Structures are given as C-alpha cells and as structure tokens.
Amino acid sequence: MKPLCGSGEDGRTAMGEPGWSLSFFLGLIHVSLIFDGIIFLPNMIGKATGTPADQVAFVTFATLLVAAFGTFLQAFRPGRLGCGHVLFMGSYSAFLACTLMAVDMGGLPLLATMTLLSAPVVFLYSYFLRFLRHIVTPAVGGVLIILVALSLMPIAIELWQGGDSSQAHFGSFGNYLVGLVTMGVLVIFMLFGSHRLRLWTPLLGIAAGCLAASFLGIFTLEHVRHAPWFGLPEARWPGLALDFQMAWLPLLGAFFIAALVSAMEGTGNIMLLQQISVKGFRKVDYTRIQNGLYADGLAKGLSGLAGGTPVATFCDNIPLLKMTRVTSERVGLMGALILLVLAFMPKVSGFLLDAPSAVIGGMLVPICAMLFYAGFGLVMRSGLSFQMGLILGISLCAGLMAETRNFFPSIMPVDFSPILQNGVAMGGFVAIFFSTLLYLFPRPGMALHLNPTSDAMQTLLERLEKLKAGFRMGDEAFLRLRLCCEETFSHLIEYAESSDKKCLFSVRLWEEGVFVEVIIGETVDEIDQGMRPFTGINATEAELDRVGLLILSRMAKDVQHIHISGYTYISFVIELS
C-alpha cells in the first residue's frame, strides 16, 4: 500500500506531512466551506418540486455517502481510480435544470436512472483523453478555472448579502459588515501571516465572521434545534425507472451534456491541483487526470444506483490548499470521513448549514481571487501564440455571455440550458471547438512510421532533408531540427529498441515554427528530466549519457514528454527565426 503522503513528486507536501489531528481540522474547514454546495441539488429538489421531505432526506443521505466515497477514492488512489490529491466530490450545479426536469417527469426513480446513464460519458471522455491532448491543454484548463471564478463571484456576492432575497436581513448593513470582517481577516493573515499562522487562517476568518454575526443578531441555529443527533432517513430507496420512453431522450441528452461539462471542469480542477500540490511542478500529469475522472465516473454511477443526485469534483475549496500550504492526502481522507459521519449526524450537518451566509460569501471572495491567479498561471505556463490567445479570449467572452443567462433566452431550446446558462460549460465548449479546428486545420508536413532501431535513423534523416525546401528553412534552423529529431529518436532506441511497436514521427509547420511530435505505444524514460548544464570535467557517466537531451533542451522550445494510457508522447517546437 502506498504511503499516505502528499502528492509531490518526492512524496512531501509544501510543509511536510501533517499529523492526523491537524489533517482532521483542515478537512473540517474544507467541508465547512463546501458542505452547502455538496448537498445543493437535494436542497433544490426539496425547494422546487413537490417531493416529500422524507424522500428528500434520503436523496441527501445517499448523495453524502457517495460524495464521501468519491472523495476517499480521489485521495487514496487505489489502482487506477483517483488523482491522489485533495479533491472533494458533491452534487454539481450544471445538473440543476435536468435534475429538476427528471423529478418532474418521473420522480426520483427517473433521476436515479438518468444519473446512472450519465456515468459512461465521463469514462469515455477520460479513456479517449489521449486523443484530446492538443485540445484539452493546460491553457484550456486555466480558462476553465478562470470561468469557475467568474461564475462563483455572483454567488459570493449573493451570499454576502444574505443568501436569499426572502430573508429579513438580506442586503442589510449587518451582512455587509460580517462579510467584510471575514474577508478582511482572511486577506490580512494571508498577506502578513507566518507559514504556521496560515494553517489557521480559514478558522480565524470563519470565527471572526461568526462572532460579528452573533453580535449583530444574524447568527441563528434553526437547523441545529430541530435536527436529531443521530439518524437515518425514513424513506426507502426509490429504485430505477426501467420502462424507458422516447419522450425521455431529450432529458437524457441534457444529462449527457452536463456530464461532459463536469468532466471538462474536472480536468481543469485536477490540473490546478497538480500545480498547487506537486512540489516543483513542471507539467501536467495526464495519467492522474484520467484516474481522477475514472473515480468521478464511478461516483456518478454509484450515486444513481444509491438514489442520490449526480456528483462531480469540487474546486471551490482548492485555493484553501494554497492558502494553508498543506496538500497532504490525509486532509482528503479526513474530509471523506467527516462527510461520512455527517450523513448519520443531522445535527452536526445542520450546524454547518446554519453558518451565516455572509461569512461564506466573505470567504468566497478571496477564494475567487486565488482561482483567478491559479487559472492565469496555467494559461501562461505553456505560453500563448496569437491564435491560442484569440481562442482563449473568445472562450472567456462566451463564458461571460452565458453567465448573464440573457443570451436570446426566448429562442434557445431549454434542453441546452446546461450549456447556454453555464459559463464554464459554454466557455469550455467554445475553447475546445476552436482548439479542435486549429488542430485539424491542414498544415504542410510529414508523418512517418518507423521501428525504433538504429537502421531506421537514416530513413528519418532522409525524409527530413526533403522537408527543408518545403518549409523554406535556413541552414541553422534545419540543423537544429535535424539534431533534435536525431537525439529524440536515439532516446527512443535506447528504451524501446526491443519493442515490436512502431513509433510515429509527425513534423508539421506551425505558427511559431516547426512542431515535432513522436508517439510510441511504450512507456519511455522522461526526456525532459535532468536536462541541466554540467561541466565536462565533473560530469558523471549518467550525465554524459544525457548530453543529447541537454542539446535538445537548448535548441528546441516547449519540450514536453507525457504518458497517457500506456502511450508516450514527446513533442517540441523548432523556431524558424
């Protein structure tokens, strides 16, 4: 069994391995922030439909159990399930419209069936992720994170004002002051607090806001007073709707769209988690993204079988990991345990629901600020060409239009509301659509299948010579291209010469130069590690063996080496100027 440690490549978190007591405390802070969101869909079913209260309680119970299990899978990472980071799961707002529609059309059994049927969408998306490697890039993931922050800001402002316009204190000076106190304490300690003090920053912000709310008389314990300490829902499992009807096809399509949206956002969430959690982060690990999405799909299927609502990954609390600098898997495991206990303790979960809305809103504002920072970090890490910059700008505009929920509402089909009224979905689809067009746009070049053997080297070099005139390359640029391709192929020969699988050499003329990608169905030692300068006098034998890789790192731009589904993808760019 792997050790319960942080997700850094060297097995350490940013501040070392925390104790179990500190992990429990931090897990409780994470759960406190997102608990209302985890049970968001069950609450909306209770408010917007005529579903009896005991059945709503069962849906809430089932959703919490599955959320706890999914969060455990993400942190523990058994086999090929889970990303190995602190990634919470819970009900997802993109399913709101289709969830309420399903309950209205066929009750909770139809909701359970649609939730179960939406799970394969995530599995398929994850399985074929290797074909999307040039489309679902870190830059696209960064845009998704920025859109999440944009979609959270209106929620944060509404919560700051009181959460519900029907409340007596909505928009009052008291709510304004409570949110301001919470946000002020968080920002001050984040800016000026020591590393150890930053561990307590979330608790200090919540405590300060709750004290201010108590002083102003807007901190009530309504849920706590009426809820029992321990209990199980009285209703039974609703079952599945097995008499499928043609009238349900549009509804099924809406669930498929929402599931794809959740998979796209999950991709961005895990990219962001890697940037925060991995010590010395250099590049995105797509294998962890796949495994995290497999756990997401499994949780969706289990939620349907259990009679809960569709679940997905949460990113609202991810900036807390940056804030506290504790990214150990133990925090996720303790958070999963807390969610499990809360499913059987209505009074404790009621206390979390009673937390003043203004306090949660005040916390969300700096969290949105950190999401903006993290999203822009992902976008800029890979560098931006003019074309990709334009695509990402259009995607942000599309997301902002969708967030207004006023984009020709009278002529847009209701079935498409999971996309058209969701900024993350709309912006993500626009980014992926244009990225796909850009990738599929025909460009001059060659694709060559070769066996990774020394005899095939001459064939590669001869084909490259034929490209020189077509690409109008100068002697210096062509020499760099030739040397980099030669060193890359030599690296493949070293590790895959005994393989019977051919490698694909793809050389294409790109906007910023010549793009080279090599694909082989084997796991090859990382080509972009250990490429640091050294002196010939003090060089070890291992360093001398990697002289070619050092040449590659100096002559090529944007050298990448990724593994997805047992395949190795090596790529780099040779600038023409």
Coordinates of all heavy atoms in Angstrom, one line a residue, residues 238-315:
P238 N -35.5 4.7 -3.8 CA -36.6 5.0 -4.8 C -36.6 4.0 -5.9 O -37.6 3.9 -6.6 CB -36.3 6.4 -5.3 CG -34.8 6.6 -5.1 CD -34.5 5.8 -3.8
G239 N -35.5 3.3 -6.2 CA -35.5 2.4 -7.3 C -35.1 3.1 -8.6 O -34.8 4.3 -8.6
L240 N -35.1 2.3 -9.7 CA -34.8 2.8 -11.0 C -36.0 2.8 -12.0 O -36.8 1.9 -11.9 CB -33.6 2.0 -11.6 CG -32.3 2.0 -10.9 CD1 -31.4 1.0 -11.5 CD2 -31.7 3.4 -10.9
A241 N -36.1 3.7 -12.9 CA -37.1 3.7 -13.9 C -36.7 2.9 -15.1 O -35.9 3.4 -15.9 CB -37.5 5.2 -14.3
L242 N -37.1 1.7 -15.2 CA -36.6 0.8 -16.3 C -37.5 0.8 -17.5 O -37.1 0.2 -18.5 CB -36.5 -0.6 -15.7 CG -35.6 -0.8 -14.5 CD1 -35.6 -2.2 -14.0 CD2 -34.2 -0.3 -14.8
D243 N -38.7 1.4 -17.5 CA -39.5 1.5 -18.6 C -39.2 2.7 -19.5 O -40.0 3.7 -19.5 CB -41.0 1.5 -18.2 CG -41.3 2.6 -17.2 OD1 -40.4 3.0 -16.5 OD2 -42.5 3.1 -17.2
F244 N -38.1 2.6 -20.1 CA -37.6 3.8 -20.9 C -38.6 4.2 -21.9 O -39.1 3.4 -22.7 CB -36.2 3.5 -21.5 CG -35.5 4.8 -21.9 CD1 -34.7 5.4 -21.0 CD2 -35.6 5.2 -23.2 CE1 -34.0 6.6 -21.3 CE2 -34.9 6.4 -23.6 CZ -34.1 7.1 -22.7
Q245 N -38.8 5.6 -22.1 CA -39.7 6.1 -23.0 C -39.0 7.0 -24.0 O -38.0 7.7 -23.6 CB -40.8 6.9 -22.3 CG -41.6 6.0 -21.3 CD -42.6 6.8 -20.5 OE1 -43.0 7.9 -20.9 NE2 -43.0 6.3 -19.3
M246 N -39.5 7.1 -25.2 CA -38.8 8.0 -26.2 C -38.9 9.5 -25.8 O -38.0 10.3 -26.1 CB -39.5 7.8 -27.5 CG -39.3 6.4 -28.2 SD -37.6 6.1 -28.5 CE -37.2 7.3 -29.7
A247 N -39.9 9.8 -25.0 CA -40.0 11.2 -24.5 C -38.9 11.6 -23.6 O -38.7 12.8 -23.4 CB -41.4 11.4 -23.8
W248 N -38.2 10.6 -23.1 CA -37.1 10.9 -22.2 C -35.7 11.2 -22.9 O -34.7 11.5 -22.3 CB -36.9 9.8 -21.2 CG -38.0 9.6 -20.3 CD1 -39.1 10.4 -20.0 CD2 -38.2 8.4 -19.4 NE1 -39.9 9.9 -19.1 CE2 -39.5 8.7 -18.7 CE3 -37.6 7.2 -19.2 CZ2 -40.0 7.8 -17.8 CZ3 -38.1 6.3 -18.3 CH2 -39.3 6.6 -17.6
L249 N -35.7 11.0 -24.2 CA -34.4 11.2 -24.9 C -33.8 12.6 -24.8 O -32.6 12.7 -24.6 CB -34.6 10.8 -26.4 CG -34.6 9.3 -26.7 CD1 -34.9 9.1 -28.2 CD2 -33.3 8.6 -26.3
P250 N -34.6 13.7 -25.0 CA -34.1 15.0 -24.8 C -33.5 15.2 -23.4 O -32.4 15.8 -23.2 CB -35.2 15.9 -25.0 CG -36.2 15.2 -25.9 CD -36.0 13.8 -25.4
L251 N -34.2 14.6 -22.4 CA -33.7 14.7 -21.0 C -32.4 13.9 -20.9 O -31.4 14.4 -20.2 CB -34.7 14.1 -20.0 CG -34.3 14.0 -18.6 CD1 -34.1 15.4 -18.0 CD2 -35.4 13.3 -17.8
L252 N -32.3 12.8 -21.5 CA -31.0 12.0 -21.4 C -29.9 12.8 -22.1 O -28.8 12.8 -21.6 CB -31.2 10.7 -22.2 CG -30.0 9.7 -22.2 CD1 -29.6 9.4 -20.7 CD2 -30.3 8.5 -23.0
G253 N -30.2 13.5 -23.2 CA -29.2 14.3 -23.9 C -28.7 15.4 -22.9 O -27.5 15.8 -22.9
A254 N -29.6 16.0 -22.2 CA -29.3 17.1 -21.3 C -28.3 16.5 -20.2 O -27.4 17.2 -19.8 CB -30.5 17.7 -20.6
F255 N -28.6 15.3 -19.7 CA -27.7 14.7 -18.7 C -26.4 14.4 -19.3 O -25.3 14.6 -18.6 CB -28.4 13.4 -18.1 CG -29.2 13.6 -16.9 CD1 -30.5 14.0 -17.0 CD2 -28.7 13.5 -15.6 CE1 -31.3 14.2 -15.9 CE2 -29.4 13.7 -14.5 CZ -30.8 14.0 -14.6
F256 N -26.3 14.0 -20.5 CA -25.0 13.7 -21.2 C -24.2 15.0 -21.3 O -23.0 15.0 -21.1 CB -25.3 13.1 -22.6 CG -25.6 11.6 -22.6 CD1 -25.9 11.0 -23.8 CD2 -25.7 10.9 -21.4 CE1 -26.3 9.6 -23.8 CE2 -26.0 9.6 -21.4 CZ -26.3 8.9 -22.6
I257 N -24.9 16.1 -21.7 CA -24.2 17.3 -21.8 C -23.6 17.8 -20.5 O -22.5 18.2 -20.4 CB -25.1 18.4 -22.4 CG1 -25.5 18.1 -23.9 CG2 -24.5 19.8 -22.3 CD1 -26.5 19.0 -24.5
A258 N -24.4 17.7 -19.4 CA -24.0 18.1 -18.1 C -22.8 17.2 -17.6 O -21.9 17.7 -17.0 CB -25.2 18.0 -17.1
A259 N -22.9 15.9 -17.9 CA -21.8 15.0 -17.5 C -20.5 15.4 -18.3 O -19.4 15.3 -17.7 CB -22.2 13.6 -17.8
L260 N -20.6 15.7 -19.6 CA -19.4 16.2 -20.3 C -18.9 17.4 -19.7 O -17.6 17.6 -19.6 CB -19.8 16.3 -21.8 CG -18.6 16.6 -22.7 CD1 -17.5 15.6 -22.6 CD2 -19.1 16.8 -24.1
V261 N -19.8 18.4 -19.3 CA -19.3 19.6 -18.7 C -18.6 19.3 -17.4 O -17.5 19.9 -17.1 CB -20.5 20.5 -18.4 CG1 -20.1 21.7 -17.6 CG2 -21.1 21.0 -19.8
S262 N -19.1 18.4 -16.6 CA -18.5 18.1 -15.3 C -17.1 17.4 -15.6 O -16.1 17.7 -14.8 CB -19.3 17.1 -14.5 OG -19.4 15.8 -15.1
A263 N -17.0 16.6 -16.6 CA -15.7 16.0 -16.9 C -14.7 17.1 -17.4 O -13.5 17.0 -17.0 CB -15.8 15.0 -18.0
M264 N -15.1 18.0 -18.2 CA -14.2 19.1 -18.6 C -13.8 19.9 -17.4 O -12.6 20.3 -17.3 CB -14.9 20.0 -19.6 CG -15.2 19.4 -21.0 SD -16.4 20.3 -21.9 CE -15.9 22.0 -21.7
E265 N -14.7 20.3 -16.5 CA -14.3 21.1 -15.4 C -13.4 20.3 -14.4 O -12.5 20.8 -13.8 CB -15.5 21.6 -14.6 CG -15.2 22.5 -13.5 CD -16.4 23.2 -12.8 OE1 -17.4 23.3 -13.5 OE2 -16.3 23.7 -11.7
G266 N -13.7 18.9 -14.3 CA -12.8 18.1 -13.5 C -11.4 18.1 -14.1 O -10.4 18.0 -13.3
T267 N -11.3 18.1 -15.4 CA -9.9 18.2 -16.0 C -9.2 19.4 -15.5 O -8.0 19.3 -15.1 CB -10.0 18.2 -17.5 OG1 -10.7 17.0 -18.0 CG2 -8.7 18.2 -18.2
G268 N -9.9 20.5 -15.6 CA -9.3 21.8 -15.1 C -9.0 21.7 -13.6 O -7.9 22.2 -13.1
N269 N -9.9 21.1 -12.8 CA -9.6 21.1 -11.4 C -8.4 20.3 -11.0 O -7.6 20.7 -10.2 CB -10.8 20.4 -10.7 CG -12.1 21.3 -10.7 OD1 -12.0 22.4 -11.0 ND2 -13.2 20.7 -10.5
I270 N -8.2 19.1 -11.7 CA -7.0 18.3 -11.4 C -5.7 18.9 -11.9 O -4.7 18.8 -11.3 CB -7.2 16.9 -12.0 CG1 -8.5 16.2 -11.4 CG2 -6.0 16.0 -11.7 CD1 -8.9 14.9 -12.0
M271 N -5.8 19.6 -13.0 CA -4.6 20.4 -13.5 C -4.3 21.4 -12.4 O -3.1 21.6 -12.1 CB -5.0 21.1 -14.8 CG -5.0 20.2 -16.0 SD -5.3 21.2 -17.5 CE -5.3 19.9 -18.8
L272 N -5.3 22.1 -11.9 CA -5.0 23.1 -10.9 C -4.4 22.5 -9.6 O -3.5 23.0 -9.0 CB -6.3 23.9 -10.5 CG -6.2 24.9 -9.4 CD1 -5.2 26.0 -9.6 CD2 -7.6 25.6 -9.2
L273 N -5.0 21.4 -9.2 CA -4.5 20.7 -8.0 C -3.0 20.3 -8.2 O -2.2 20.3 -7.2 CB -5.3 19.4 -7.7 CG -6.6 19.6 -6.9 CD1 -7.4 18.4 -6.9 CD2 -6.2 20.0 -5.5
Q274 N -2.7 19.8 -9.4 CA -1.3 19.4 -9.6 C -0.4 20.7 -9.5 O 0.7 20.6 -8.9 CB -1.1 18.8 -11.0 CG -1.8 17.4 -11.1 CD -1.6 16.8 -12.5 OE1 -0.6 17.1 -13.1 NE2 -2.5 16.0 -12.9
Q275 N -0.8 21.8 -10.0 CA 0.0 23.0 -9.9 C 0.2 23.4 -8.4 O 1.3 23.8 -8.1 CB -0.7 24.1 -10.6 CG 0.1 25.4 -10.7 CD -0.6 26.6 -11.4 OE1 -1.8 26.5 -11.5 NE2 0.1 27.6 -11.7
I276 N -0.8 23.2 -7.6 CA -0.7 23.6 -6.2 C 0.0 22.5 -5.4 O 0.8 22.8 -4.5 CB -2.1 23.8 -5.6 CG1 -2.7 25.1 -6.3 CG2 -2.1 24.0 -4.1 CD1 -4.2 25.3 -5.9
S277 N -0.3 21.2 -5.6 CA 0.1 20.2 -4.7 C 1.5 19.6 -5.1 O 2.2 19.1 -4.1 CB -0.9 19.0 -4.8 OG -2.2 19.5 -4.4
V278 N 1.9 19.6 -6.3 CA 3.1 18.9 -6.7 C 4.3 19.8 -6.5 O 4.4 20.9 -7.0 CB 3.1 18.4 -8.2 CG1 4.4 17.8 -8.6 CG2 1.9 17.4 -8.4
K279 N 5.3 19.3 -5.7 CA 6.5 20.1 -5.4 C 7.3 20.2 -6.6 O 7.6 19.2 -7.3 CB 7.2 19.5 -4.2 CG 8.4 20.3 -3.7 CD 9.1 19.6 -2.6 CE 10.3 20.3 -2.1 NZ 10.0 21.6 -1.5
G280 N 7.7 21.4 -7.0 CA 8.5 21.6 -8.2 C 7.7 21.3 -9.4 O 8.2 20.7 -10.4
F281 N 6.4 21.7 -9.5 CA 5.6 21.4 -10.6 C 6.2 21.9 -11.9 O 6.6 23.0 -12.0 CB 4.2 22.0 -10.4 CG 3.3 21.9 -11.6 CD1 2.6 20.7 -11.8 CD2 3.0 22.9 -12.4 CE1 1.7 20.5 -12.9 CE2 2.2 22.8 -13.5 CZ 1.5 21.6 -13.7
R282 N 6.2 21.0 -12.9 CA 6.8 21.3 -14.2 C 5.8 21.1 -15.4 O 5.8 21.9 -16.3 CB 8.0 20.5 -14.5 CG 9.2 20.7 -13.6 CD 10.4 19.8 -14.0 NE 10.0 18.4 -14.1 CZ 9.9 17.7 -15.2 NH1 10.0 18.3 -16.4 NH2 9.5 16.4 -15.2
K283 N 4.9 20.1 -15.2 CA 4.0 19.8 -16.3 C 2.8 19.0 -15.8 O 2.9 18.5 -14.7 CB 4.7 19.0 -17.4 CG 5.2 17.7 -17.0 CD 5.9 17.0 -18.1 CE 6.4 15.6 -17.6 NZ 7.0 14.8 -18.7
V284 N 1.8 19.0 -16.6 CA 0.6 18.3 -16.2 C 0.8 16.8 -16.4 O 1.3 16.3 -17.4 CB -0.6 18.8 -17.0 CG1 -1.9 17.9 -16.8 CG2 -0.9 20.2 -16.7
D285 N 0.3 16.0 -15.4 CA 0.3 14.5 -15.4 C -1.1 14.1 -15.9 O -2.0 14.1 -15.1 CB 0.7 14.0 -14.0 CG 0.8 12.4 -14.1 OD1 0.4 11.8 -15.1 OD2 1.4 11.9 -13.1
Y286 N -1.2 13.7 -17.1 CA -2.5 13.3 -17.7 C -3.0 12.0 -17.2 O -4.2 11.7 -17.2 CB -2.4 13.3 -19.2 CG -2.5 14.7 -19.8 CD1 -1.3 15.4 -20.0 CD2 -3.7 15.3 -20.2 CE1 -1.3 16.7 -20.6 CE2 -3.7 16.5 -20.8 CZ -2.6 17.2 -21.0 OH -2.6 18.5 -21.5
T287 N -2.1 11.1 -16.7 CA -2.5 9.9 -16.1 C -3.3 10.1 -14.9 O -4.3 9.4 -14.6 CB -1.3 9.0 -15.8 OG1 -0.6 8.7 -17.0 CG2 -1.7 7.7 -15.2
R288 N -2.9 11.1 -14.1 CA -3.6 11.4 -12.8 C -5.0 12.0 -13.2 O -6.0 11.8 -12.5 CB -2.8 12.3 -12.0 CG -1.6 11.7 -11.3 CD -1.3 12.3 -10.0 NE -0.1 11.7 -9.4 CZ 0.1 11.7 -8.1 NH1 -0.8 12.3 -7.3 NH2 1.1 11.1 -7.6
I289 N -5.0 12.8 -14.3 CA -6.3 13.3 -14.7 C -7.2 12.2 -15.1 O -8.4 12.2 -14.7 CB -6.1 14.3 -15.9 CG1 -5.3 15.5 -15.4 CG2 -7.4 14.7 -16.5 CD1 -5.0 16.5 -16.5
Q290 N -6.7 11.3 -15.9 CA -7.6 10.1 -16.3 C -8.1 9.4 -15.0 O -9.3 9.0 -14.9 CB -6.8 9.2 -17.2 CG -6.7 9.6 -18.6 CD -6.1 8.5 -19.4 OE1 -5.0 8.0 -19.1 NE2 -6.7 8.1 -20.5
N291 N -7.2 9.1 -14.1 CA -7.6 8.3 -12.9 C -8.6 9.1 -12.1 O -9.5 8.5 -11.5 CB -6.4 7.9 -12.1 CG -5.4 7.0 -12.8 OD1 -5.8 6.4 -13.8 ND2 -4.2 6.9 -12.4
G292 N -8.4 10.4 -12.0 CA -9.4 11.2 -11.2 C -10.7 11.2 -11.9 O -11.8 11.1 -11.2
L293 N -10.8 11.2 -13.2 CA -12.0 11.2 -13.9 C -12.7 9.8 -13.9 O -13.9 9.7 -13.9 CB -11.8 11.6 -15.4 CG -11.4 13.1 -15.6 CD1 -11.2 13.4 -17.1 CD2 -12.5 14.0 -15.0
Y294 N -11.9 8.7 -13.8 CA -12.5 7.4 -13.7 C -13.2 7.3 -12.3 O -14.3 6.8 -12.2 CB -11.4 6.3 -13.7 CG -10.8 6.1 -15.1 CD1 -9.5 5.7 -15.3 CD2 -11.7 6.1 -16.2 CE1 -9.0 5.5 -16.6 CE2 -11.2 5.9 -17.5 CZ -9.8 5.5 -17.7 OH -9.4 5.3 -18.9
A295 N -12.6 7.9 -11.3 CA -13.3 7.9 -10.0 C -14.5 8.8 -10.0 O -15.5 8.4 -9.4 CB -12.3 8.5 -8.9
D296 N -14.5 9.9 -10.8 CA -15.6 10.7 -11.0 C -16.8 9.9 -11.6 O -17.9 10.0 -11.2 CB -15.2 11.9 -11.8 CG -16.4 12.9 -12.0 OD1 -17.5 12.5 -12.2 OD2 -16.1 14.1 -12.0
G297 N -16.5 9.2 -12.7 CA -17.5 8.4 -13.4 C -18.1 7.3 -12.5 O -19.3 7.1 -12.5
L298 N -17.2 6.7 -11.7 CA -17.7 5.6 -10.8 C -18.6 6.2 -9.8 O -19.7 5.6 -9.5 CB -16.5 4.9 -10.1 CG -16.8 3.9 -9.1 CD1 -17.6 2.7 -9.8 CD2 -15.6 3.3 -8.4
A299 N -18.3 7.4 -9.2 CA -19.1 8.0 -8.2 C -20.5 8.4 -8.8 O -21.5 8.2 -8.2 CB -18.4 9.3 -7.7
K300 N -20.5 8.8 -10.1 CA -21.8 9.2 -10.7 C -22.7 7.9 -10.8 O -23.9 7.9 -10.5 CB -21.5 9.8 -12.1 CG -21.2 11.2 -12.1 CD -21.1 11.7 -13.5 CE -20.9 13.3 -13.6 NZ -19.7 13.7 -12.9
G301 N -22.0 6.8 -11.3 CA -22.8 5.6 -11.4 C -23.3 5.1 -10.0 O -24.5 4.7 -9.9
L302 N -22.5 5.1 -9.0 CA -22.9 4.7 -7.7 C -24.0 5.6 -7.1 O -24.9 5.2 -6.4 CB -21.7 4.7 -6.7 CG -20.7 3.6 -7.0 CD1 -19.5 3.8 -6.0 CD2 -21.3 2.2 -6.8
S303 N -23.9 6.9 -7.4 CA -25.0 7.8 -7.0 C -26.3 7.5 -7.6 O -27.4 7.6 -6.9 CB -24.6 9.3 -7.3 OG -25.5 10.2 -6.7
G304 N -26.3 7.1 -8.9 CA -27.5 6.7 -9.5 C -28.1 5.4 -8.9 O -29.3 5.3 -8.6
L305 N -27.2 4.5 -8.6 CA -27.7 3.2 -8.0 C -28.2 3.4 -6.6 O -29.1 2.8 -6.1 CB -26.5 2.2 -8.0 CG -26.1 1.6 -9.4 CD1 -24.9 0.8 -9.2 CD2 -27.3 0.8 -10.0
A306 N -27.6 4.4 -5.9 CA -27.9 4.6 -4.5 C -29.2 5.5 -4.3 O -29.7 5.6 -3.3 CB -26.8 5.2 -3.7
G307 N -29.6 6.2 -5.4 CA -30.7 7.0 -5.3 C -30.4 8.5 -5.0 O -31.2 9.2 -4.5
G308 N -29.1 8.9 -5.3 CA -28.7 10.2 -5.0 C -28.8 11.1 -6.2 O -29.3 10.7 -7.3
T309 N -28.2 12.3 -6.1 CA -28.1 13.2 -7.3 C -26.7 13.1 -8.0 O -25.8 12.5 -7.4 CB -28.3 14.6 -6.8 OG1 -27.3 14.9 -5.8 CG2 -29.7 14.8 -6.2
P310 N -26.6 13.6 -9.2 CA -25.3 13.5 -9.9 C -24.2 14.2 -9.1 O -24.4 15.3 -8.6 CB -25.6 14.2 -11.2 CG -27.1 14.1 -11.4 CD -27.6 14.2 -10.1
V311 N -23.1 13.6 -9.0 CA -22.0 14.2 -8.3 C -20.8 14.5 -9.3 O -20.8 13.9 -10.3 CB -21.4 13.3 -7.1 CG1 -22.5 13.1 -6.1 CG2 -20.9 12.0 -7.7
A312 N -19.9 15.4 -8.9 CA -18.8 15.8 -9.7 C -17.7 16.4 -8.7 O -17.9 16.5 -7.5 CB -19.2 16.8 -10.7
T313 N -16.6 16.7 -9.3 CA -15.5 17.2 -8.5 C -15.8 18.7 -8.1 O -16.4 19.4 -8.9 CB -14.2 17.1 -9.2 OG1 -14.3 17.9 -10.5 CG2 -13.8 15.7 -9.6
F314 N -15.2 19.1 -7.0 CA -15.4 20.5 -6.5 C -14.1 21.2 -6.6 O -13.0 20.6 -6.3 CB -15.8 20.5 -5.0 CG -17.3 20.6 -4.8 CD1 -18.2 19.6 -5.1 CD2 -17.8 21.9 -4.4 CE1 -19.6 19.8 -4.9 CE2 -19.2 22.0 -4.2 CZ -20.1 21.0 -4.5
C315 N -14.1 22.5 -7.0 CA -12.9 23.3 -7.0 C -13.0 24.5 -6.0 O -12.0 25.2 -5.8 CB -12.6 23.8 -8.4 SG -13.7 25.0 -9.0

